[in-house]
Amino acid sequence: MKPYNYIASRLIGFVLILLIGSIIYQFTIYPSIKKSEGWLQHLAERQLEKNAEILYFSSSTNKAFGPTDTDQRSIVEIVKNSIQHKIVSIDTGAIHCGIFYEILKRIPQNQLPKKIIIDLNVRSFGNNWIHSGLENSLQRNLVYWNAYPGVINHLRASMKVYNYQSPAEHHSAIEYGEKFAELPFGNSHTTIKKWCDSLFKASKTPEEGMTMIRHFGHFIDEKNTMLRNVDLIVEWGKKQHIPIVFIILPENVHRMEFLVGNDLRNLVEQNADFLQKRYSTKNVQVINLVDDLDETVFFESFPTEHYTSVGRKHIAQKMIEKINSKK
Amino acid sequence: MTFNSVQFILFLPLALLLYYAVNANRRWIVLLLMSYIFYAGWKIEYLALIVYSTLIDYFIAQWIFSTSSKIKKRWLLALSLVSNFSLLILFKYFHFLIGGSPWFKDLADSNETMLWLQFVFEYGIPVGISFYTFQTVSYTLDVYHGRIEPEKNLGKFALFVTFFPQLVAGPIERFSELHPQLFTAFKPKLETFRLAFQLCLYGFYLKMVIADNLGDIISPLFATPASYDLASKIISAFLFGFQIFADFFGYTLIAIGVAHLFGVRLMDNFKSPYGSYSLREFWSKWHISLSTWFRDYIYIPLGGSKHSRNRWILAILLTFGLSGLWHGANVTYIYWGLFHGAYYVIEQRLFPAPPKDKMKFTEKSLRWISTFIAITFGWLLFRVSSMKDVSVFFSHTGDMNIFQSNILLLFIPIIGFFMLEILFRQQRIDQFLENKSPLVRWSIYSFTLISILLFSARGDMQFIYFQF
């Protein structure tokens, strides 16, 4: 056999194997894989099918945590009962504006809502969230959200054809931020590491305070990578003529002040102000609730943006006011 | 760029195209360029280290060769060893030896430069540093001992150090074996591509289907061993043995297959190691390029078996201990090495294995079982994060088990792996497929290809040996 014929016959053989494998996969294994790996798509599609007028993007903060909470309703459920419009939420843990934008891009034209409300979480602009180990799972989820054959999606996921960061890369990015990202203080708190070290020396029980510093001790400026995602959402809203409302979530600033001192509280408030000003000037409505709530409405096991029913009702009330206002 | 990445799948045809497009006597330049691009694909800053290592050994080897003074030769060799190993120590063992100590932490806290240095050295181990360091050190040692003549062309020597198929995880090749092949005129045949295809296909199958799926199954258990029942732990220890084998053997087969496309035959690194009847036999079949390196450059210079019994024991323990340390900057690796060393000494002194043909079935079975259990226990030391985890592994048990999730489907390719390995009867896949009917060949191709398509893991697993 001539070499060309030899190669051609083998190639045809492999294409056939690929095709047969692909068909077997598509109808046998892929549906269950897509169900487990593509849960984000399922969640979004299930909610979008309801054709709501208002779409609320949130994270785990939307929900109740703990059986002791008297009212187990989520924020969106509280809102639902007090407005004339139909509202649904898309929420899951560790989600952020980058994923919200990916979901927005994929909404079919006939399911577009009339208004979109999005939680902005000051913590999600920090290194600890941006380089979270949970990010790979979210990014891999998006791999399955398209019309490609299952085999292609499977290979893309197994060959990590997505925004993948290895655990070592996550770790070194966070460590670099903690050691070298400068904070706008004239005192010794010029980096997260120095701040944590000084707290460690000064306090007998520094752990919670150090956790707070690690999660909130960042300075949001124009170089922040999460800002680009928020900008993309704003641009998308303008292009689709859909008004966007950002809610800057309440943080446990009183607890921060108690544990760490004024600096962290000021930094969190400064970051929230920055976000509010930046997006207000882009004609986006921003509700800044960062210091609206006192310590008692935050869950102890989640010292930051996870609330008791009192906290959730407060956020819901602010949302209701905004939805019902003519603006 | 890892072998199982889209970047590599695009990189390889481009490298081949360029390689075959140029005149035969200039192909090495293309290969050198592509090797640097391949390495820069990990982190461009790591290039500085490999260039440094190349320059040091190139010049020192020239000086060693040109001088007749034995003392001068010795000093030059010492300079090469210090340069190479200090780089390795700084980037691989810095945290283990210095960075983690309280006095250095205090120093780094009070000094910005030290803090920066600490971050640089703990930034992540430069990929392949242990492999190319050992390869260049063996070159200088061989020049020193007069076994080889040094390469005069810096570029050609650089290619010996950086040849991309074996750069990041071996096999660790000797200059006398690898270097001549890189510059021999080579005309590819259909057979070349078939062999490369067979090796790569089976390599990808071992890595993406077997190793990564096993890794996904057992990683949660090794992260929180106290939560799992004892049966799961024991099974996981065995499964890790197969994971690491499939991972590293898979990588090696791909490396050998890719090297074939450039006319280079790399050495075999594995020869069915789990079929061994003694630890001695295991080490002649597992990571052969590293074990022969330690034999030739550590064990034999330490005296080998030519001196007293105590000195032999010391040489064995030191060789295995250093081999453990080579694998990683953690005390668990040293214990792993020492465990192998101690078992090796006991086995050789008290129960030396007779030739295989003189062993009866019962003896063979007992030796195989005891060797396999010892290797598995060794893997447990290798896999845990700290020695404390070993006691947790056996003392604390929970009620979770590794079979809670729906993983039974994955056992189809895993059982397939065992069947193939038995079928191959200690041969490499290409040797087994040679002279086999098209039906057998295509059945194996179809099984492995469909397994890769349908069952490759989606988790976070990387090549285990890349971290070394």
Side-chain angles (χ1 to χ4, degrees), chain A residues 174-237:
Chain A
I174 290 173
E175 199 170 303
Y176 180 85
E178 289 189 359
K179 283 181 175 168
F180 304 109
E182 289 196 2
L183 294 171
F185 299 118
N187 54 22
S188 61
H189 306 158
T190 50
T191 61
I192 289 177
K193 187 184 181 308
K194 284 180 184 168
W195 202 347
C196 285
D197 287 349
S198 69
L199 186 72
F200 188 76
K201 282 172 193 160
S203 169
K204 281 180 185 168
T205 51
E207 285 77 18
E208 194 185 341
M210 285 163 72
T211 304
M212 288 282 198
I213 293 170
R214 289 198 172 104
H215 286 292
F216 291 97
H218 53 267
F219 177 57
I220 306 176
D221 60 13
E222 290 297 331
K223 285 180 268 176
N224 190 292
T225 49
M226 191 60 83
L227 272 188
R228 263 182 273 146
N229 295 320
V230 188
D231 291 348
L232 287 170
I233 291 173
V234 173
E235 281 167 32
W236 180 89

Side-chain angles (χ1 to χ4, degrees), chain A residues 237-251:
Chain A
K238 279 185 184 157
K239 206 172 154 189
Q240 301 289 344
H241 306 291
I242 296 174
I244 303 229
V245 178
F246 287 134
I247 299 178
I248 300 175
L249 290 172
E251 299 295 352

